[in-house]
Amino acid sequence: MLHEASLYTRKEEGRTSCCLCSHRCNIAPGKFGICNVRENVEGTLYTHSYGLLIARHIDPVEKKPLYHFQPGSLSYSIAAAGCNFQCEFCQNWEISQIKEVKKLGLQSMKAEPRQIVEAALRSGCRSISYTYTEPTIFFEFARDTGVLAKEAALRNVFVTNGFMTGEALNEARSFLDAANVDLKSFRDDYYRKVCKGRLDPVLKSIAKMREHQVWVEVTTLIVPGLNDSDEELKDIAGFLAGLDVNIPWHISRFHPQYKMGGAESTPMETLNRAYRIGKEAGLRFVYQGNVIGKGNHTYCYNCDRLLIERSGFNVGRNETREGKCPGCNSPIAGLA
């Protein structure tokens, strides 16, 4: 569905400059940006992703993963096809890469922003998550849905690679409540080679979201031999702790996917090592996100009391009281 894009400028010779993500594509007439969903049509930039959903589900908010944002609640989760990255290990490559979507013959479902909000309310969800693919590439639909969701007392979540521009974040601040940002590495060459992106814009996005008072949690997928050195993990943990020791860091285990199908899974010892590094850096909340076990529980950073017990994406019990530990009264950061 063609819809005029937001955040672009017209240039000479009919070209358009897209200001939505940090690729800042300079697009000639009849051509698409890197995301393959934004097209220059005779000097006007259009998005092909507005109101066309490739996925919609009801998920526990813990699946995003968000552990300090409305814990135990449901989130109405939607995605449009496409992405501005080309990660070689993408777990949702069938819907995130336009060429794969076309090859598989997958069809999108038409939807209107108000329909999404009404469906979220009917299903008992407390939030809407823009997820599975990169929400930046269907920003206009997310924005229009998000504004209506706020009016209906629903909160909005981005699960994102963080590669949006400052302009996009300034526009999103009116409706965005929380985000889980993939900080895939702390090395620019990794971003360029493995993801076809860059590191610095992601770091700036995380910091800017915090400035805008968006609740932020960060996920790092640890890939053996690529981003699992002590030095790099210390750099990630140190960066997050330097912003705020209350930022939850989700350490995820890599499983062979997409173009990296022949690689080995992340050893548990690597996740345990990353956990120790995060805690030593001063982070209060470090999670072994996609591994069943106590690495998913929330403990009080002060008295070590078990506060939120999780099994997979399910919350078994939540003993926090008004955002505090009932044992020592320490505040537990997050949004209830």
Side-chain angles (χ1 to χ4, degrees):
M1 183 184 299
L2 279 180
H3 184 94
E4 185 171 0
S6 297
L7 299 171
Y8 78 97
T9 57
R10 292 183 170 89
K11 313 294 281 188
E12 295 178 355
E13 300 178 348
R15 302 183 75 90
T16 58
S17 179
C18 181
C19 306
L20 184 60
C21 93
S22 291
H23 287 304
R24 294 189 180 272
C25 295
N26 190 346
I27 309 170
K31 301 296 183 180
F32 285 80
I34 288 173
C35 63
N36 283 313
V37 300
R38 298 170 84 76
E39 181 186 15
N40 181 337
V41 180
E42 298 179 349
T44 299
L45 191 63
Y46 288 92
T47 171
H48 284 256
S49 63
Y50 193 94
L52 291 175
L53 301 183
I54 197 72
R56 56 196 296 180
H57 301 284
I58 298 170
D59 290 333
V61 76
E62 283 77 16
K63 189 177 180 180
K64 301 304 106 188
L66 289 171
Y67 282 7
H68 290 244
F69 177 82
Q70 299 181 329
S73 69
L74 297 175
S75 188
Y76 199 85
S77 302
I78 63 173
C83 188
N84 52 0
F85 275 13
Q86 299 171 27
C87 299
E88 295 181 1
F89 48 73
C90 182
Q91 64 177 355
N92 288 332
W93 58 270
E94 300 98 328
I95 60 175
S96 71
Q97 303 301 308
I98 292 296
K99 65 178 181 179
E100 304 291 354
V101 173
K102 291 180 178 179
K103 189 184 300 182
L104 293 169
L106 302 181
Q107 299 297 313
S108 295
M109 306 165 278
K110 291 183 179 180
E112 296 290 338
R114 190 168 297 279
Q115 293 173 338
I116 299 302
V117 173
E118 291 172 352
L121 292 170
R122 283 197 306 270
S123 59
C125 293
R126 295 180 59 196
S127 64
I128 297 176
S129 288
Y130 311 87
T131 180
Y132 307 133
T133 62
E134 173 51 45
T136 306
I137 64 95
F138 60 102
F139 182 85
E140 293 83 2
F141 188 75
R143 176 200 59 207
D144 292 352
T145 304
V147 169
L148 292 178
K150 293 286 280 189
E151 294 173 358
L154 293 168
R155 285 178 164 164
N156 294 289
V157 173
F158 272 13
V159 180
T160 174
N161 59 30
F163 204 64
M164 64 277 289
T165 61
E167 299 98 293
L169 283 174
N170 285 337
E171 189 162 332
R173 68 188 301 181
S174 65
F175 67 89
L176 187 61
D177 297 290
N180 186 292
V181 181
D182 282 331
L183 181 51
K184 299 172 186 290
S185 170
F186 215 76
R187 301 291 181 266
D188 192 63
D189 61 345
Y190 179 101
Y191 266 90
R192 291 179 184 273
K193 293 177 182 178
V194 180
C195 306
K196 306 301 184 290
R198 288 175 287 118
L199 170 63
D200 188 60
V202 180
L203 302 182
K204 289 179 178 177
S205 288
I206 294 172
K208 198 167 187 67
M209 286 180 187
R210 297 287 301 173
E211 291 176 14
H212 290 340
Q213 298 184 328
V214 174
W215 176 255
V216 175
E217 304 192 19
V218 170
T219 296
T220 301
L221 179 71
I222 301 183
V223 184
L226 293 183
N227 65 347
D228 60 347
S229 69
D230 280 5
E231 181 183 13
E232 182 165 359
L233 294 172
K234 288 177 181 178
D235 286 344
I236 294 173
F239 168 75
L240 296 178
L243 288 177
D244 188 342
V245 294
N246 288 306
I247 295 176
W249 186 28
H250 299 262
I251 305 158
S252 290
R253 188 181 192 188
F254 166 81
H255 295 286
Q257 275 286 357
Y258 195 29
K259 296 180 179 180
M260 295 181 66
E264 64 172 306
S265 297
T266 313
M268 271 304 301
E269 174 49 37
T270 301
L271 266 64
N272 293 335
R273 176 165 51 86
Y275 179 90
R276 292 193 297 269
I277 287 171
K279 298 298 284 187
E280 288 168 1
L283 291 174
R284 290 175 170 174
F285 307 105
V286 183
Y287 298 104
Q288 295 173 330
N290 57 351
V291 178
I292 301 296
K294 66 178 184 178
N296 279 301
H297 302 337
T298 297
Y299 295 88
C300 177
Y301 59 88
N302 187 43
C303 70
D304 204 35
R305 178 173 178 144
L306 175 60
L307 298 176
I308 303 178
E309 187 175 24
R310 299 179 181 87
S311 176
F313 301 127
N314 299 312
V315 172
R317 57 174 171 158
N318 182 349
E319 294 192 355
T320 58
R321 297 293 180 267
E322 298 181 348
K324 295 181 179 180
C325 170
C328 66
N329 211 37
S330 295
I332 306 301
L335 293 176

